[in-house]
Amino acid sequence: MALTSLDESAILQVRDIQIRFKTQEGTVHAVNGISFDLNEGELLGVVGESGSGKSVTMMSLLKLLPMPPAEIASGEALFNGRDLIRLSDEELRRVRGREIGFIFQDPMTSLNPVLTVGYQLTEHLRRHLGMTRSQVRCRAAELLALVGIPQAEARLDDYPHQFSGGMRQRVMIAIALACDPKVLIADEPTTALDVTIQAQILELIKQLRQELGMSIIWITHDLGVVAGMANRVMVMYGGFVVERAGVSELYGNPQHPYTRGLLESLPRLDEEGDEHLQGIEGQPPNLLSQPSSCPFAPRCPYAFERCTEENPLLEEVGDGHEVACWWDIDGGVPRHGR
């Protein structure tokens, strides 16, 4: 299996994360042994449809999931030599915001409506850096200006409802950047925004990454969003990583049927004629049962007998390109050595 050893050059090393949810219907096997590395200065795109385990995986690293019903059944997440999974609540509070920033999905509900933007922005500064009141306010104004909010000093006393959706998301980014974290996790931060504002936020993140040199995990269901941003892309389905590669390699040579399905569902500007977008037939897997076969097999046009009997592990098929599939799509035959 890929990624069994630790990469000392990686700033974050995640191994075999398994997450369960206890529900009235039974145990949901939401994440089933996810492993990955995040290197210094890189942007790792994490893609997949809703329910694939993207957000749950990343939220579990900072224990942002309600426990119960959530449970981290196994795994480790090494950050600066410490296992985030096994840190105490107090130790983890010192990591959240200070060393790892998190941008939540919906800017409309992530900010407290009864507190000023300035108060919410300075909370991390007061807690982690011990600044004076004047220092905190000066830094907060600098952060709002950094993310492109005009008249930053005056807007510190405004409430969230006085900001547009795009501006609220900029505030959320400023909060995540307040203490200069080494890692930024962005959970579909542009989903609730219109395409014009979305483009502005994406451009802002690219600029901030160049200026600050931080490592970023960008969670999205849209492969088109990460095409011009990511260094590497990790594709998830049914709580598993099914493919991982450099962004050019993944887009130019996808090897998993699910990845190909996602790419074929995107409109392309370089195609002529009335080509219809191709959807992926079928429904996501029922995660109430422990997966024992390929989770994508019921929806896969290439599935054969082995796919319903055994779940493939990630296997390297090229330089830095890994795929979990029993079928060689390009060769039209089962993969050798399996």
Side-chain angles (χ1 to χ4, degrees):
M1 182 178 178
L3 288 179
T4 54
S5 61
L6 295 178
D7 183 354
E8 295 183 356
S9 66
I11 190 171
L12 178 64
Q13 303 150 332
V14 176
R15 296 294 179 273
D16 193 33
I17 292 291
Q18 299 185 43
I19 303 168
R20 311 284 183 257
F21 285 88
K22 302 292 185 181
T23 70
Q24 292 182 341
E25 290 76 21
T27 300
V28 176
H29 301 268
V31 176
N32 302 288
I34 298 299
S35 298
F36 66 90
D37 287 335
L38 177 68
N39 299 316
E40 289 197 27
E42 88 164 330
L43 192 151
L44 174 66
V46 183
V47 301
E49 63 192 64
S50 297
S52 62
K54 311 180 303 296
S55 298
V56 168
T57 298
M58 303 310 163
M59 292 179 73
S60 72
L61 303 182
L62 296 176
K63 295 185 180 177
L64 294 173
L65 300 171
M67 298 184 185
E71 174 193 7
I72 302 176
S74 71
E76 62 179 8
L78 297 181
F79 175 72
N80 284 344
R82 296 166 293 171
D83 185 357
L84 298 175
I85 302 301
R86 287 164 180 79
L87 292 182
S88 67
D89 290 343
E90 181 59 33
E91 290 172 324
L92 202 53
R93 275 193 289 269
R94 289 196 289 267
V95 173
R96 295 192 198 112
R98 179 67 183 92
E99 299 181 72
I100 301 178
F102 204 106
I103 305 173
F104 293 95
Q105 184 172 137
D106 188 357
M108 304 301 178
T109 60
S110 297
L111 292 170
N112 192 321
V114 300
L115 297 176
T116 66
V117 163
Y119 183 89
Q120 296 180 67
L121 184 55
T122 57
E123 184 177 6
H124 287 311
L125 299 173
R126 294 192 302 269
R127 177 182 299 170
H128 296 297
L129 301 184
M131 291 181 172
T132 65
R133 181 174 298 182
S134 60
Q135 289 174 329
V136 161
R137 188 170 180 88
C138 182
R139 173 61 175 160
E142 289 177 357
L143 287 165
L144 287 188
L146 179 67
V147 297
I149 293 180
Q151 300 177 321
E153 175 75 26
R155 304 231 58 183
L156 289 174
D157 298 318
D158 288 344
Y159 289 86
H161 73 270
Q162 296 174 277
F163 289 76
S164 66
M167 287 300 179
R168 289 190 212 183
Q169 193 58 284
R170 290 173 185 265
V171 171
M172 291 297 300
I173 294 171
I175 292 173
L177 298 177
C179 298
D180 295 326
K182 297 178 181 178
V183 173
L184 178 66
I185 301 175
D187 186 5
E188 303 205 46
T190 60
T191 298
L193 307 176
D194 64 55
V195 292
T196 302
I197 303 302
Q198 182 183 92
Q200 294 174 1
I201 296 298
L202 295 178
E203 186 61 32
L204 171 63
I205 290 293
K206 286 194 286 188
Q207 291 176 359
L208 293 175
R209 181 185 165 209
Q210 292 175 351
E211 293 174 11
L212 304 177
M214 70 180 68
S215 303
I216 300 175
I217 297 175
W218 189 278
I219 306 166
T220 182
H221 65 277
D222 188 351
L223 273 166
V225 168
V226 296
M229 296 179 62
N231 300 102
R232 291 186 300 137
V233 180
M234 185 167 75
V235 183
M236 292 185 63
Y237 183 81
F240 293 92
V241 176
V242 296
E243 188 163 8
R244 178 168 43 221
V247 63
S248 298
E249 172 68 12
L250 188 93
Y251 281 74
N253 185 32
Q255 291 296 301
H256 196 281
Y258 179 60
T259 308
R260 290 202 173 188
L262 290 178
L263 290 171
E264 289 172 356
S265 69
L266 294 175
R268 297 176 62 99
L269 298 177
D270 57 351
E271 289 185 353
E272 298 180 357
D274 298 324
E275 293 290 334
H276 292 289
L277 298 179
Q278 301 296 315
I280 302 176
E281 296 183 358
Q283 298 296 323
N286 182 355
L287 299 178
L288 285 172
S289 58
Q290 179 73 44
S292 59
S293 60
C294 175
F296 190 62
R299 307 173 69 183
C300 181
Y302 303 97
F304 63 108
E305 185 177 0
R306 191 173 187 182
C307 303
T308 62
E309 298 174 346
E310 188 178 356
N311 193 4
L313 301 176
L314 280 172
E315 180 179 276
E316 191 162 349
V317 295
D319 186 16
H321 192 164
E322 302 161 290
V323 65
C325 185
W326 295 123
W327 190 256
D328 182 345
I329 295 180
D330 292 335
V333 294
R335 295 191 183 278
H336 298 295
R338 297 259 186 154

